[in-house]
Amino acid sequence: MASTVGKVIKCKAAVAWEAGKPLVIEEVEVAPPQAMEVRIKILFTSLCHTDVYFWEAKGQNPVFPRIFGHEAGGIVESVGEGVTELAPGDHVLPVFTGECKECAHCKSAESNMCDLLRINTDRGVMIGDGQSRFSINGKPIFHFVGTSTFSEYTVIHEGCVAKINPAAPLDKVCVLSCGISTGLGATINVAKPPKGSTVAIFGLGAVGLAAAEGARLAGASRIIGVDLNSDRFEAARKFGCTEFVNPKEHTKPVQQVLAEMTNGGVDRSVECTGNINAMIQAFECVHDGWGVAVLVGVPHKDAEFKTHPMNFLNERTLRGTFFGNYKPRTDLPSVVEKYMSGELELDKFITHSVPFSEINTAFDLMLKGESLRCIIRMDE
């Protein structure tokens, strides 16, 4: 890679030219990294529902043409001025949020919401100079959440890159750079279920299943999956779910169903749908006195959370989380080590794999609800 340092790299990228239209594999020019930036050769990337959501652009500001992608694994090709913790050849995971290590949030043991580098879905340029590092025939192509991993090379702020064990297989651990870590951390770091406790998981997509996996690792005795699609129940057993509730199959509110199943309510609940009704149900289903509900899903911008204040006065706790409360640079390497030691299982999250040329297949699989995670092999 030494021959490309300081030079513009021409490579392939999957460009979204407009909302909801298939991505187009184009030759793009990727500029060298500037101060506090690194240029990374992406080897494997996966598709997260967040990519699909912003590609559809139904509820947010459309920013096009754009290179999506934010779950990935790669190798540092070169670094910009001021970068001290990364070097060419390092194996890394890009992350959609960051850790500058200097702000009040980064210095707090209780927060991972970096003032400088927290997610900004509207920004399509680099934070340093307000310019894009991608172009086609001189025309800029916009970035996505600071990562843009649907490109053979990408440029990312140093604070959004986690250096990991080079022995870790990038085609597996790449899924830790977003959804799996979010669900896992929501349970382990935020809900913190005691051993032997009862946990309800609302939504059994990839993030919800990762939350169930976290409950399994924590030693929960009952893990109740709640989903409107009963077809998901059998697969969820592999992630530790022991029982299931489909709200459509009950005449009572699901929080009441869960309370009756668990002698007054579950000890912990984790909501992974973004549906405001599920959020309210997840809170109201926890036991009074000690129950904790954790919200992970992102609701509609006009949604309102409504519950009776007595639910709080009766000592139920409601919490939210962002990226599972993991600090990307500090904490992700240890999550990778959980996989390397065999404690954390990742293979069961990966249901499909396609070459880069067939990236639109990954979108089709997710839109049909047929995949959890589809790995995209960049070198094919």
Side-chain angles (χ1 to χ4, degrees):
M1 290 191 230
S3 62
T4 55
V5 172
K7 301 176 182 177
V8 170
I9 291 178
K10 290 185 177 182
C11 69
K12 292 179 181 177
V15 178
W17 288 101
E18 53 185 305
K21 296 295 176 67
L23 307 187
V24 180
I25 304 292
E26 304 275 14
E27 183 180 78
V28 300
E29 294 189 338
V30 185
Q34 300 303 305
M36 305 309 295
E37 297 172 2
V38 296
R39 188 161 58 184
I40 298 169
K41 178 178 175 62
I42 299 296
L43 298 182
F44 300 94
T45 185
S46 62
L47 180 64
C48 171
H49 189 265
T50 303
D51 295 306
V52 177
Y53 181 70
F54 283 91
W55 164 73
E56 290 178 317
K58 292 178 179 177
Q60 346 73 22
N61 296 324
V63 181
F64 295 95
R66 199 170 207 180
I67 298 173
F68 286 102
H70 64 284
E71 279 191 358
I75 299 175
V76 174
E77 175 269 341
S78 60
V79 304
E81 181 183 351
V83 174
T84 58
E85 295 189 11
L86 293 166
D90 285 345
H91 286 222
V92 295
L93 301 181
V95 185
F96 65 89
T97 185
E99 181 185 355
C100 73
K101 298 191 175 183
E102 299 295 331
C103 71
H105 283 278
C106 286
K107 290 180 177 179
S108 167
E110 299 180 26
S111 175
N112 68 337
M113 300 190 71
C114 177
D115 281 332
L116 178 67
L117 299 169
R118 72 175 65 175
I119 186 171
N120 183 329
T121 56
D122 290 338
R123 187 174 62 235
V125 294
M126 297 302 293
I127 202 167
D129 61 2
Q131 302 294 313
S132 173
R133 301 288 175 262
F134 298 110
S135 62
I136 296 178
N137 298 325
K139 179 183 178 182
I141 307 296
F142 294 113
H143 295 247
F144 177 63
V145 296
T147 52
S148 292
T149 61
F150 293 165
S151 174
E152 292 176 319
Y153 287 86
T154 188
V155 177
I156 303 175
H157 191 285
E158 176 193 30
C160 297
V161 180
K163 180 181 175 180
I164 63 166
N165 183 344
L170 291 173
D171 60 333
K172 301 292 193 298
V173 298
C174 64
V175 300
L176 290 173
S177 59
C178 180
I180 309 309
S181 294
T182 295
L184 188 74
T187 303
I188 293 176
N189 298 335
V190 188
K192 298 179 180 178
K195 193 168 185 177
S197 58
T198 299
V199 180
I201 308 293
F202 285 73
L204 298 176
V207 176
L209 293 175
E213 180 80 354
R216 181 186 70 80
L217 292 175
S221 61
R222 297 174 69 185
I223 303 173
I224 306 170
V226 182
D227 200 290
L228 296 172
N229 183 357
S230 297
D231 292 341
R232 291 178 163 180
F233 292 167
E234 193 54 42
R237 293 187 190 278
K238 293 190 296 184
F239 299 85
C241 286
T242 58
E243 300 156 72
F244 301 94
V245 173
N246 185 333
K248 292 192 295 186
E249 296 175 357
H250 297 270
T251 55
K252 298 176 183 177
V254 70
Q255 53 268 59
Q256 187 176 338
V257 173
L258 290 165
E260 291 174 0
M261 289 173 62
T262 56
N263 193 29
V266 299
D267 302 305
R268 302 289 188 269
S269 71
V270 185
E271 185 284 325
C272 303
T273 72
N275 179 282
I276 192 63
N277 293 320
M279 291 179 163
I280 295 167
Q281 292 160 359
F283 176 54
E284 295 182 350
C285 80
V286 300
H287 206 290
D288 57 5
W290 62 78
V292 179
V294 179
L295 306 185
V296 179
V298 179
H300 187 275
K301 59 183 175 62
D302 298 324
E304 294 182 345
F305 188 100
K306 296 180 180 180
T307 191
H308 198 282
M310 284 304 299
N311 287 318
F312 292 99
L313 296 174
N314 286 334
E315 300 179 8
R316 293 178 177 89
T317 299
L318 179 64
R319 295 200 59 183
T321 182
F322 183 71
F323 193 50
N325 274 45
Y326 286 119
K327 292 179 185 287
R329 298 161 77 185
T330 299
D331 296 333
L332 265 195
S334 64
V335 181
V336 169
E337 292 307 315
K338 285 182 185 292
Y339 169 74
M340 296 297 284
S341 69
E343 181 183 356
L344 172 63
E345 300 172 11
L346 293 179
D347 298 52
K348 59 192 176 185
F349 288 98
I350 300 168
T351 54
H352 297 80
S353 177
V354 297
F356 187 33
S357 60
E358 297 176 20
I359 188 170
N360 288 301
T361 300
F363 279 74
D364 293 340
L365 289 166
M366 182 161 283
L367 288 168
K368 292 175 184 175
E370 295 178 6
S371 69
L372 289 176
R373 281 296 182 267
C374 179
I375 302 297
I376 297 153
R377 307 184 299 273
M378 299 300 290
D379 60 351
E380 293 183 38

